């Protein structure tokens, strides 16, 4: 699953640790005395990582208790559901599910005369034996359905329950987490078609244990069943579920009944349905149907939204040497999704942030999330973690799939940039006060497992294991793991044994320190070179590794020595003590620089004792992406040569670092080059960075170049910068820019347009109200910030109108959690504005009204986590 990750100020809680982090994410920024005209409002989307079920923010992590005293074991299996058949209709006016569940069950081992099913918030109409229609005695307490069977059933003896029920997900008490913002399980989106800004949809989100809110089951990840779901809806709607659609029948009343069947067993949380009016594209890959389902306005972009799906299917099948194991592969976009994306078997659900136009997709593809969800169909769906403590067996592999795909499709640099971002996310969580074992049997709440350990660290550890064992052993071990454990639930020991069986090595040491241990090593490295004897003394010190972290790290690294002729030699060492000394002898030439982790593999904070000249040589000679990032951030003198090298680098990110090294003293010599980059660089991030740098130069007027950009640029990030600059410098043309772009099919420029607005005209207010209600998650946070700025100091009639509008959004029962929170924050801002107008009696009267709005929204909120947030901002 992928979680929405909000904006993160990396290392904001880290303080000064003095380490290069191996990755040195600290973005290189030029020192300048000129006031910055533009700093940008939309971060690089590659750093606003949308994980499948993951939201990581340092503020939240600081206060999250990740540890309990209770060992979190896997669920005890008393019975086994072999097959689940659901027949579903819907009461749209009440947001009810009218369901019939037929469950084929057998005792797991011991004889069985009763059983308990998970069923949250149902009306139970009857429970019968399906073959005889005999009524069974049952008890129901609102969450558990206890059924007394007609007799005692023995092991391998099946019985079939027929349960008629009404599920009422909207009427249950719900909660949520930063990862999955609601546990409602099944969601009706604008079921009566009352909101013109929302489509009418039904969709489900089962992970972690929420599918029991719309059908009775045993809602644990170590349960598996085959499945049929029969869905009856109005004929205008498309449906999607797991497996293949085996029939679709139009009914006399204008409805249609679709029958979906999954013939291979999967776990409970992967069962899904989606209903809505979609544009659907289809194609075939190796006789597997591929479905692409998007809102009708995005039909022409459907295949580009789900980038390279057939190619990825081929790549992962070949890499794992294991055929795609399911009947079809569907991908659907839904509104108001409560997470980032979800890997339901053969029917992946994405939030609408992936729904981009062709222009939005420029240098901003969806490859990482498409790859992530696809890899889950092997790791997570075919082989499933048996409990949430072992979640990284699902999510770590899915995260590493992103690296593998980037490496294959785009080359090593993009993969390594992605790995750098993954490391930053992990370190951000750790330094926010939340380090725990990767396989964490003492978590406080299962939702906490969807974090930068299970995802980021999990993938990073797999990368180290791959490099330690080599590709042949690594991928053959993955194949053995999948083959041995197909259609079962597993724990981390089974992964270790697969690697041991293939490699012939005992790998307890690796799994103990990286999967079962906490944290990562802190390594100080000191180099002393004896020129006369051509001997390098390398001293390592891990004594600064925090005591709460694992204390027996064994690190196998290749120390790289670079020479003036461009050659390199690698020297393997094993660091396994707190303090060690290594001699590298009989060197034929004098090295010009050294890199401790010479092949850029290790997850650890590395502080190397190097001079600026050695960093310059590192930038010039090392082929590794992270070496270059670390090096250029440590070059502060005579930078022109290295700037020029960076600007010629084939990977865009290194070019942006080169631009950021241009400071005031040398800026004038780069004006022509920067202008060329604005118009001709193949990557929009470089064009954007070049434009920002030009705009911040003392003696350069950026208006002319910005006007050209506004008229010619296709990529939104560059266009946005130009509009921000022109908006700050050309008051007389603001309305022209607003009118020109306010009807754009993307939300990317919405916050910029709000920033240009000064007049509270009816037209502008209508724009603000419409966008605040439906702006996409990608633009939502910046938009609301600008919206609040626009409202500051406005007339009372404007504040009154806006407050009423914002109250509706903040109080919307099924609204997006983040939109509701931001709307509430905007209400608070209005109240603060009014409270400052102490001499205005009308303002004080309105303050009372707005305060009551705030209180009422907070009191009526049904999501405890959001209610707590509301109380916090009150």
């Amino acid at each position: 699953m992928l979680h929405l990750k909000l904006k993160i100020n990396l290392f904001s809680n880290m303080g000064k640790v003095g380490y290069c982090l191996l990755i040195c994410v600290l973005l290189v920024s030029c020192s300048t005395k000129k006031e910055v005209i533009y700093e940008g409002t939309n971060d690089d989307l590659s750093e606003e990582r949308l994980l499948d079920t993951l939201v990581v923010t340092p503020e939240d992590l600081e206060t999250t208790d990740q540890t309990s005293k209770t060992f979190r074991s896997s669920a005890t299996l008393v019975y086994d559901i072999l097959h689940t058949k659901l027949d579903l209709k819907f009461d749209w006016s009440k947001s009810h599910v009218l369901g019939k569940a037929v469950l084929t069950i057998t005792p797991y081992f011991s004889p069985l005369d009763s059983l308990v099913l998970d069923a949250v918030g149902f009306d139970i109409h009857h429970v019968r034996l399906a073959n005889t229609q005999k009524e069974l005695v049952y008890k129901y307490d609102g969450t558990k359905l206890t059924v007394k069977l007609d007799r005692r059933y023995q092991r391998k003896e099946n019985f079939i329950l027929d349960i008629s029920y009404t599920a009422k997900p909207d009427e249950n008490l719900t909660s949520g987490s930063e990862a999955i913002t609601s546990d409602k399980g099944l969601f009706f989106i604008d079921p009566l078609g009352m909101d013109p800004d929302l489509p009418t949809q039904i969709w489900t989100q089962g992970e972690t244990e929420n599918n029991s809110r719309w059908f009775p089951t045993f809602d644990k990840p170590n349960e598996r069943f085959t499945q049929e779901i029969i869905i009856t809806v109005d004929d205008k709607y498309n449906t999607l579920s797991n497996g293949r659609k085996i029939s679709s029948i139009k009914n006399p009343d204008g409805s249609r009944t679709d029958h979906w069947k999954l013939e291979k067993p999967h776990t409970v949380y992967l069962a899904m349905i989606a209903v809505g009016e979609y544009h659907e594209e289809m194609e075939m890959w190796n006789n597997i149907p591929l479905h692409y389902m998007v809102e009708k306005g995005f039909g022409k972009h459907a295949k580009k939204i789900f980038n390279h799906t057939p190619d990825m299917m081929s790549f992962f099948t070949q890499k794992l040497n294991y055929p795609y194991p399911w009947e079809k592969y569907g991908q659907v976009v839904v509104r108001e999704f409560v997470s980032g994306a979800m890997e339901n078997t053969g029917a992946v659900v994405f939030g609408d942030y992936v729904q981009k136009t062709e222009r939005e997709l420029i240098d901003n593809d969806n490859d990482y999330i498409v790859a992530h969800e696809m890899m889950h169909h092997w790791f997570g769906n075919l082989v499933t973690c048996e409990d949430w403590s072992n979640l990284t067996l699902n999510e770590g592999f899915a995260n590493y799939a992103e690296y593998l795909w980037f490496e294959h499709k785009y080359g090593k640099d993009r993969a390594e940039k992605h790995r750098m971002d993954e490391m930053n996310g992990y370190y951000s969580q750790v330094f926010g006060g939340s380090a725990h074992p990767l396989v964490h049997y003492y978590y406080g709440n299962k939702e906490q497992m969807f974090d930068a350990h299970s995802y980021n660290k999990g993938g990073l550890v797999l990368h180290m294991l791959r490099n330690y064992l080599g590709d042949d052993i690594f991928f053959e071990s993955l194949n053995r793991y999948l083959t041995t454990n197909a259609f079962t639930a597993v724990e981390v020991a089974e992964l270790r044994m697969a690697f041991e069986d293939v490699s012939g090595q005992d790998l307890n040491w690796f799994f103990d320190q990286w999967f079962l241990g906490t944290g990562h090593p802190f390594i100080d490295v000191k180099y002393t070179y004896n020129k006369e004897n051509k001997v390098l003394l390398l001293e390592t010190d891990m004594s600064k590794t925090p005591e709460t972290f694992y204390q027996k790290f064994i690190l196998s690294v290749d120390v790289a020595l670079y020479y003036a002729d461009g050659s390199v030699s690698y020297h393997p060492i094993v660091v396994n003590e707190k303090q060690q000394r290594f001699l590298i002898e009989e060197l034929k030439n004098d090295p010009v620089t050294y890199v401790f982790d010479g092949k850029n593999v290790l997850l650890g904070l590395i502080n190397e004792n190097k001079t600026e000249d050695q960093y310059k040589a590192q930038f010039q000679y090392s082929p590794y992406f992270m070496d270059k990032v670390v090096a250029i951030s440590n070059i502060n003198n005579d930078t022109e040569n290295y700037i020029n090298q960076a600007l010629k680098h084939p990977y865009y990110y290194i070019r942006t670092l080169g631009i950021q090294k241009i400071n005031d003293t040398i800026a004038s010599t780069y004006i022509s080059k920067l202008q060329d980059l604005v118009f001709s660089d193949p990557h929009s991030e470089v064009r954007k960075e070049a434009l920002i740098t030009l705009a911040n130069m003392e003696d350069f007027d950026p208006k002319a170049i910005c006007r050209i950009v506004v008229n010619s640029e296709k990529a939104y990030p560059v266009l946005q910068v130009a509009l921000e600059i022109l908006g700050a410098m050309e008051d007389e043309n603001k309305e022209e820019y607003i009118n020109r772009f306010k009807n754009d099919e993307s939300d990317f420029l919405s916050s910029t347009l709000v920033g240009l607005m000064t007049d509270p005209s009816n037209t502008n207010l209508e724009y603000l109200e419409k966008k605040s209600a439906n702006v996409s998650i990608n633009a939502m946070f910046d938009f609301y910030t600008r919206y609040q700025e626009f409202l500051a100091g406005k007339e009372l009639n404007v504040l009154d109108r806006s407050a009423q509008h914002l109250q509706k959004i903040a109080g919307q029962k099924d609204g997006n959690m983040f939109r509701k929170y931001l709307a509430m924050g905007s209400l608070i801002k209005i109240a603060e504005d009014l409270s400052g107008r102490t001499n205005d009696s009308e303002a004080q009267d309105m303050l009372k009204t707005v305060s009551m709005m705030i209180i009422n929204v907070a009191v009526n909120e049904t999501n405890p986590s959001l209610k707590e947030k509301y109380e916090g901002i009150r």
Side-chain angles (χ1 to χ4, degrees), residues 663-688:
N663 57 39
D664 285 349
T665 60
I666 59 175
S668 61
T669 63
Y670 282 94
I671 289 176
S672 178
K673 178 61 177 176
L674 288 168
Q675 290 185 89
D676 288 344
L677 291 173
V678 169
F679 296 122
S680 63
D681 193 274
H683 201 285
S684 60
E685 286 300 314
V686 179
R687 301 197 297 274
K688 180 181 81 171

Side-chain angles (χ1 to χ4, degrees), residues 794-800 830-831 833-851:
K794 290 294 187 293
E795 297 295 324
L796 295 184
N797 64 318
V798 174
L799 295 184
D800 180 57
I830 291 175
D833 186 334
L834 294 169
S835 67
R837 306 184 192 190
T838 55
N839 297 324
D840 187 334
S841 60
E842 290 186 33
Q844 295 307 297
D845 289 340
M846 186 183 294
L847 174 60
K848 296 176 183 177
T849 301
V850 175
S851 297

Side-chain angles (χ1 to χ4, degrees), residues 38 186 212 217 276 333 395 425 462 704 729 755-756 779 781 805 831 846 848:
Y38 177 78
L186 183 142
S212 53
T217 190
V333 178
E395 300 299 348
L462 291 172
M729 302 179 75
L756 299 180
F781 303 95
H805 170 72
M846 186 183 294
K848 296 176 183 177

Side-chain angles (χ1 to χ4, degrees), residues 808-832:
K808 291 178 182 178
I809 296 175
Q812 189 176 19
K813 186 175 181 181
D814 294 321
N816 177 277
M817 175 178 175
F818 303 118
R819 190 188 314 276
K820 292 167 67 175
Y821 180 67
L822 291 166
M824 179 63 126
S826 300
L827 270 177
I828 300 292
K829 288 292 185 180
I830 291 175
E832 291 174 352

Side-chain angles (χ1 to χ4, degrees), residues 389-409:
S389 301
N390 283 273
L391 180 63
T392 195
L393 298 180
N394 295 5
E395 300 299 348
F397 280 103
N399 254 41
Y400 194 48
E402 302 164 24
Y403 182 97
L404 293 173
W405 172 253
F406 287 152
E407 182 182 43
H408 164 75
K409 183 68 176 179

Side-chain angles (χ1 to χ4, degrees), residues 485-519:
N485 300 295
F487 304 106
T488 70
V490 295
E491 59 182 294
V492 70
E494 286 158 295
L495 179 67
R496 172 180 57 79
M497 289 187 288
F499 276 99
E500 290 181 340
D501 288 345
V502 172
S503 69
Q505 301 183 38
D506 187 320
L507 294 171
N508 273 289
W509 67 271
F510 185 94
F511 279 76
D512 282 350
Q513 71 183 27
W514 291 116
F515 283 91
L516 302 176
T518 298

